[in-house]
Amino acid sequence: MTEANSPKGVAPEGAEPAELIRRIAERRDKAALSALFLQFAPRIKSMMLRLGVDGAHAEDLTQEAMLSVWRKAHFYSPDKGAASTWIFTIARNLRIDAARRQSNRPYVDLEGIEVESEAPHSHALLEQSQVVARVSKALEVLPEEQREVVRLSFIKELSQSEIAARIGIPLGTVKSRLRLAYDRLRPLLEDLH
């Protein structure tokens, strides 16, 4: 039986999705919708599950997508793309809309939720004090003039030109002292990050 002489409500076997959508748009053909449903519902549900939607919600979104295909069939144009792309786009957009609606829900009561303190943990404080002790000990191996420029640079956070002006030495000397200090400190502190 060809499509031309098939009765309304009987979908032709093996009909292409675009043809089924055309029949829905032109004749409100429920058999065509049924055929589309059989082809696409399992695939839409599978897509929803892969996107992290729970089973019941995936089922609801699948049915809603197919209902949208029924309502919007007259908008489909084969010139703009494949029928399957159009159907999956409808499903994807429904999922996005559902996620947006869910994100606009009011916040749950926060009284029972425990939030971790921003204060450093005791092990972090211990580790920090050990690092400070190691750096202080390493600084002791430097000559006083190198130690002074390192302290001004890292503790006082002065620029090299500010250090030069503050202690009255040329900028090149500040740079040399810092470079020499780094060369001496690197092997002593290279395991610290």
Side-chain angles (χ1 to χ4, degrees):
M1 184 181 297
T2 65
E3 191 264 317
N5 60 14
S6 67
K8 181 180 176 184
V10 177
E13 296 232 359
E16 291 295 315
E19 173 59 23
L20 294 171
I21 293 171
R22 184 190 66 74
R23 288 180 61 159
I24 293 168
E26 291 176 2
R27 302 187 212 162
R28 307 304 288 163
D29 189 336
K30 292 179 183 175
L33 178 63
S34 178
L36 270 180
F37 191 91
L38 290 173
Q39 285 183 36
F40 286 94
R43 293 164 55 194
I44 292 171
K45 183 176 179 184
S46 176
M47 177 184 80
M48 295 297 175
L49 293 171
R50 280 193 317 271
L51 293 172
V53 176
D54 68 74
H57 195 212
E59 189 80 33
D60 291 344
L61 287 172
T62 299
Q63 290 186 16
E64 193 174 340
M66 295 311 295
L67 186 59
S68 291
V69 168
W70 173 260
R71 289 183 189 139
K72 299 177 181 184
H74 60 282
F75 289 120
Y76 172 67
S77 171
D79 300 335
K80 293 183 180 177
S84 59
T85 303
W86 183 72
I87 293 169
F88 283 114
T89 299
I90 289 172
R92 187 204 68 188
N93 290 343
L94 287 169
R95 182 201 165 271
I96 291 169
D97 290 344
R100 284 185 184 138
R101 283 191 303 271
Q102 206 169 23
S103 71
N104 289 335
R105 289 191 337 218
Y107 294 113
V108 296
D109 188 11
L110 299 177
E111 287 180 23
I113 297 175
E114 290 185 34
V115 178
E116 190 173 322
S117 169
E118 291 183 20
H121 293 288
S122 59
H123 67 276
L125 291 173
L126 176 63
E127 187 176 311
Q128 184 179 5
S129 68
Q130 290 172 341
V131 168
V132 169
R134 279 194 58 197
V135 170
S136 297
K137 187 173 181 179
L139 285 173
E140 291 174 10
V141 303
L142 297 176
E144 179 54 38
E145 63 273 0
Q146 290 174 11
R147 196 173 336 153
E148 182 180 24
V149 294
V150 168
R151 282 192 182 124
L152 291 173
S153 178
F154 290 97
I155 296 172
K156 298 286 185 181
E157 298 181 350
L158 299 178
S159 68
Q160 292 177 351
S161 56
E162 290 171 327
I163 294 169
R166 185 168 189 165
I167 58 178
I169 59 175
L171 179 59
T173 305
V174 171
K175 290 180 180 186
S176 298
R177 288 181 183 175
L178 282 171
R179 190 181 66 251
L180 290 169
Y182 294 152
D183 289 343
R184 283 192 174 170
L185 293 173
R186 187 175 296 119
L188 300 173
L189 302 173
E190 66 186 349
D191 61 319
L192 297 179
H193 299 290

Coordinates of all heavy atoms in Angstrom, one line a residue, residues 132-177:
V132 N 58.2 28.5 57.6 CA 58.8 29.8 58.1 C 60.1 29.5 58.8 O 61.1 30.3 58.6 CB 57.8 30.5 59.0 CG1 58.5 31.7 59.8 CG2 56.6 31.0 58.2
A133 N 60.2 28.5 59.6 CA 61.4 28.2 60.4 C 62.6 27.8 59.4 O 63.7 28.3 59.5 CB 61.2 27.0 61.3
R134 N 62.2 27.0 58.3 CA 63.3 26.7 57.3 C 63.8 27.9 56.6 O 64.9 28.0 56.3 CB 62.7 25.6 56.3 CG 62.7 24.2 56.9 CD 62.5 23.2 55.9 NE 63.5 23.2 54.8 CZ 63.3 22.6 53.6 NH1 62.2 21.9 53.4 NH2 64.2 22.6 52.7
V135 N 62.9 28.8 56.2 CA 63.3 30.0 55.4 C 64.1 30.9 56.3 O 65.2 31.4 55.9 CB 62.0 30.7 54.9 CG1 62.4 32.1 54.3 CG2 61.3 29.9 53.8
S136 N 63.7 31.0 57.6 CA 64.5 31.9 58.5 C 65.9 31.3 58.7 O 66.9 32.0 58.7 CB 63.8 31.9 59.9 OG 62.6 32.6 59.8
K137 N 66.0 30.0 58.8 CA 67.3 29.3 59.0 C 68.1 29.5 57.7 O 69.4 29.8 57.8 CB 67.1 27.8 59.3 CG 68.4 27.2 59.7 CD 68.2 25.8 60.1 CE 69.5 25.1 60.5 NZ 69.4 23.8 61.0
A138 N 67.5 29.4 56.6 CA 68.2 29.5 55.3 C 68.7 31.0 55.1 O 69.8 31.2 54.6 CB 67.3 29.1 54.1
L139 N 67.9 31.9 55.6 CA 68.4 33.3 55.5 C 69.6 33.6 56.3 O 70.4 34.5 56.0 CB 67.2 34.3 55.9 CG 66.1 34.4 54.9 CD1 65.0 35.2 55.5 CD2 66.5 35.1 53.6
E140 N 69.8 32.9 57.4 CA 71.0 33.1 58.2 C 72.3 32.8 57.5 O 73.3 33.3 57.9 CB 70.9 32.2 59.5 CG 69.8 32.7 60.5 CD 69.6 31.7 61.6 OE1 70.4 30.8 61.8 OE2 68.6 31.9 62.3
V141 N 72.3 32.0 56.5 CA 73.5 31.7 55.8 C 73.9 32.8 54.8 O 75.1 32.8 54.3 CB 73.4 30.3 54.9 CG1 73.1 29.2 55.8 CG2 72.5 30.4 53.8
L142 N 73.0 33.8 54.6 CA 73.3 34.9 53.7 C 74.1 35.9 54.4 O 73.9 36.2 55.6 CB 72.1 35.5 53.1 CG 71.1 34.6 52.3 CD1 69.9 35.4 51.9 CD2 71.8 34.1 51.0
P143 N 75.0 36.6 53.7 CA 75.7 37.8 54.3 C 74.6 38.8 54.6 O 73.6 38.9 53.9 CB 76.6 38.3 53.2 CG 76.7 37.1 52.2 CD 75.5 36.3 52.3
E144 N 74.9 39.7 55.5 CA 73.9 40.7 56.0 C 73.4 41.5 54.8 O 72.2 41.8 54.8 CB 74.5 41.6 57.1 CG 73.6 42.7 57.6 CD 72.2 42.2 58.1 OE1 72.2 41.1 58.7 OE2 71.2 42.8 57.9
E145 N 74.2 42.0 53.9 CA 73.7 42.9 52.8 C 72.7 42.2 51.9 O 71.8 42.8 51.4 CB 74.9 43.5 52.0 CG 75.8 42.5 51.2 CD 76.9 41.9 52.0 OE1 77.1 42.3 53.2 OE2 77.7 41.1 51.5
Q146 N 72.9 40.8 51.7 CA 72.0 40.1 50.8 C 70.7 39.8 51.6 O 69.6 39.9 51.1 CB 72.6 38.8 50.4 CG 73.7 38.9 49.4 CD 74.4 37.6 49.1 OE1 73.9 36.5 49.4 NE2 75.5 37.7 48.4
R147 N 70.8 39.5 52.9 CA 69.7 39.2 53.7 C 68.8 40.5 53.8 O 67.6 40.4 53.7 CB 70.1 38.9 55.1 CG 69.1 38.2 56.0 CD 69.6 37.7 57.3 NE 71.0 37.4 57.3 CZ 71.8 37.5 58.3 NH1 71.4 37.8 59.5 NH2 73.1 37.2 58.2
E148 N 69.4 41.7 53.9 CA 68.7 42.9 54.0 C 67.8 43.1 52.7 O 66.6 43.5 52.8 CB 69.6 44.1 54.1 CG 68.9 45.4 54.3 CD 69.9 46.6 54.5 OE1 71.1 46.4 54.1 OE2 69.5 47.6 55.0
V149 N 68.4 42.9 51.5 CA 67.6 43.2 50.3 C 66.5 42.1 50.1 O 65.4 42.4 49.6 CB 68.5 43.2 49.0 CG1 69.4 44.5 49.0 CG2 69.3 42.0 48.8
V150 N 66.8 40.9 50.6 CA 65.7 39.8 50.5 C 64.6 40.2 51.4 O 63.4 40.1 51.0 CB 66.3 38.4 50.8 CG1 65.2 37.4 51.1 CG2 67.3 38.0 49.8
R151 N 64.9 40.6 52.6 CA 63.8 41.0 53.6 C 63.0 42.2 53.0 O 61.8 42.2 53.1 CB 64.4 41.4 54.9 CG 64.8 40.2 55.8 CD 65.1 40.6 57.2 NE 65.5 39.5 57.9 CZ 66.6 39.3 58.6 NH1 67.5 40.3 58.6 NH2 66.9 38.2 59.3
L152 N 63.7 43.2 52.5 CA 63.0 44.4 52.0 C 62.1 44.0 50.7 O 61.0 44.5 50.5 CB 63.9 45.5 51.6 CG 64.7 46.2 52.8 CD1 65.7 47.1 52.3 CD2 63.6 46.9 53.6
S153 N 62.6 43.0 50.0 CA 61.9 42.6 48.8 C 60.7 41.8 49.1 O 59.6 42.0 48.6 CB 62.8 41.9 47.8 OG 62.1 41.4 46.7
F154 N 60.8 40.8 50.0 CA 59.7 39.8 50.2 C 58.9 40.1 51.5 O 57.7 39.8 51.5 CB 60.3 38.4 50.3 CG 60.8 37.9 49.0 CD1 62.1 38.0 48.6 CD2 59.9 37.4 48.1 CE1 62.6 37.6 47.4 CE2 60.3 37.0 46.8 CZ 61.6 37.1 46.5
I155 N 59.5 40.7 52.5 CA 58.7 41.0 53.7 C 58.1 42.3 53.6 O 56.9 42.5 53.8 CB 59.6 40.8 55.0 CG1 60.0 39.4 55.1 CG2 58.8 41.3 56.2 CD1 61.1 39.1 56.1
K156 N 58.8 43.3 53.2 CA 58.3 44.7 53.1 C 57.7 44.9 51.7 O 57.0 45.9 51.5 CB 59.4 45.7 53.3 CG 60.1 45.7 54.6 CD 59.2 46.3 55.7 CE 59.9 46.3 57.0 NZ 59.1 46.9 58.1
E157 N 57.9 44.0 50.8 CA 57.3 44.0 49.4 C 57.7 45.3 48.7 O 56.9 45.9 48.0 CB 55.8 43.8 49.4 CG 55.4 42.5 50.0 CD 53.9 42.2 50.0 OE1 53.2 43.2 49.7 OE2 53.5 41.1 50.2
L158 N 59.0 45.7 48.8 CA 59.4 46.9 48.1 C 60.0 46.5 46.7 O 60.5 45.4 46.6 CB 60.6 47.6 48.9 CG 60.2 48.2 50.3 CD1 61.4 48.8 50.9 CD2 59.1 49.2 50.2
S159 N 59.8 47.4 45.8 CA 60.4 47.1 44.5 C 61.9 47.3 44.5 O 62.5 47.8 45.5 CB 59.9 48.1 43.4 OG 60.3 49.4 43.7
Q160 N 62.6 46.8 43.5 CA 64.1 46.9 43.5 C 64.6 48.4 43.6 O 65.5 48.7 44.2 CB 64.7 46.1 42.3 CG 64.5 44.6 42.5 CD 65.0 43.9 41.3 OE1 65.4 44.4 40.2 NE2 65.0 42.5 41.4
S161 N 63.9 49.2 42.8 CA 64.3 50.6 42.8 C 64.0 51.3 44.2 O 64.7 52.1 44.7 CB 63.6 51.4 41.7 OG 62.2 51.2 41.8
E162 N 62.9 50.8 44.9 CA 62.6 51.4 46.2 C 63.6 50.9 47.2 O 64.0 51.7 48.1 CB 61.2 50.9 46.7 CG 60.1 51.6 45.9 CD 58.7 50.9 46.2 OE1 58.6 49.7 46.5 OE2 57.7 51.7 46.2
I163 N 64.1 49.7 47.1 CA 65.2 49.2 47.9 C 66.4 50.0 47.7 O 67.1 50.4 48.7 CB 65.4 47.7 47.7 CG1 64.2 46.8 48.1 CG2 66.7 47.2 48.4 CD1 64.3 45.4 47.6
A164 N 66.8 50.2 46.5 CA 68.0 51.0 46.2 C 67.9 52.4 46.8 O 68.9 52.9 47.4 CB 68.2 51.1 44.7
A165 N 66.8 53.0 46.7 CA 66.6 54.4 47.3 C 66.6 54.3 48.8 O 67.2 55.2 49.5 CB 65.3 55.0 46.8
R166 N 66.0 53.3 49.4 CA 65.9 53.2 50.8 C 67.3 53.0 51.5 O 67.6 53.6 52.5 CB 65.0 52.1 51.2 CG 64.8 52.0 52.7 CD 63.6 51.0 53.0 NE 63.2 51.1 54.3 CZ 62.1 50.6 54.8 NH1 61.2 50.1 54.0 NH2 61.8 50.7 56.1
I167 N 68.1 52.1 50.9 CA 69.4 51.8 51.6 C 70.6 52.6 50.9 O 71.7 52.4 51.3 CB 69.7 50.3 51.7 CG1 69.7 49.6 50.3 CG2 68.7 49.6 52.6 CD1 70.1 48.1 50.4
G168 N 70.3 53.3 49.9 CA 71.3 54.2 49.3 C 72.3 53.5 48.5 O 73.5 53.8 48.6
I169 N 71.9 52.5 47.7 CA 72.9 51.8 46.8 C 72.4 51.8 45.4 O 71.1 52.0 45.2 CB 73.2 50.4 47.3 CG1 71.9 49.5 47.3 CG2 73.9 50.3 48.6 CD1 72.1 48.0 47.6
P170 N 73.2 51.6 44.4 CA 72.7 51.6 43.0 C 71.8 50.4 42.8 O 71.9 49.4 43.4 CB 74.0 51.4 42.2 CG 75.1 51.8 43.1 CD 74.7 51.5 44.5
L171 N 70.8 50.6 41.8 CA 69.9 49.6 41.4 C 70.6 48.3 41.0 O 70.1 47.2 41.4 CB 68.9 50.1 40.3 CG 67.9 49.2 39.8 CD1 66.9 48.7 40.9 CD2 67.1 49.8 38.7
G172 N 71.6 48.4 40.2 CA 72.4 47.2 39.8 C 72.9 46.4 40.9 O 72.9 45.2 40.9
T173 N 73.3 47.1 42.0 CA 73.8 46.4 43.2 C 72.7 45.6 43.9 O 72.9 44.5 44.3 CB 74.5 47.4 44.2 OG1 75.5 48.1 43.5 CG2 75.0 46.7 45.4
V174 N 71.5 46.2 44.0 CA 70.3 45.5 44.5 C 70.0 44.2 43.7 O 69.9 43.2 44.3 CB 69.1 46.4 44.5 CG1 67.8 45.6 44.9 CG2 69.3 47.6 45.5
K175 N 70.1 44.4 42.4 CA 69.8 43.2 41.5 C 70.8 42.1 41.7 O 70.5 40.9 41.8 CB 69.7 43.7 40.1 CG 68.5 44.5 39.8 CD 68.5 44.9 38.3 CE 67.2 45.7 38.0 NZ 67.1 46.0 36.6
S176 N 72.1 42.5 41.8 CA 73.2 41.6 42.0 C 73.0 40.8 43.4 O 73.2 39.6 43.4 CB 74.6 42.3 42.0 OG 74.8 42.9 40.8
R177 N 72.7 41.6 44.4 CA 72.6 41.0 45.7 C 71.4 40.0 45.8 O 71.5 38.9 46.4 CB 72.4 42.0 46.8 CG 73.7 42.8 47.1 CD 73.5 43.8 48.2 NE 74.7 44.6 48.4 CZ 74.8 45.7 49.2 NH1 73.7 46.0 49.9 NH2 76.0 46.3 49.3

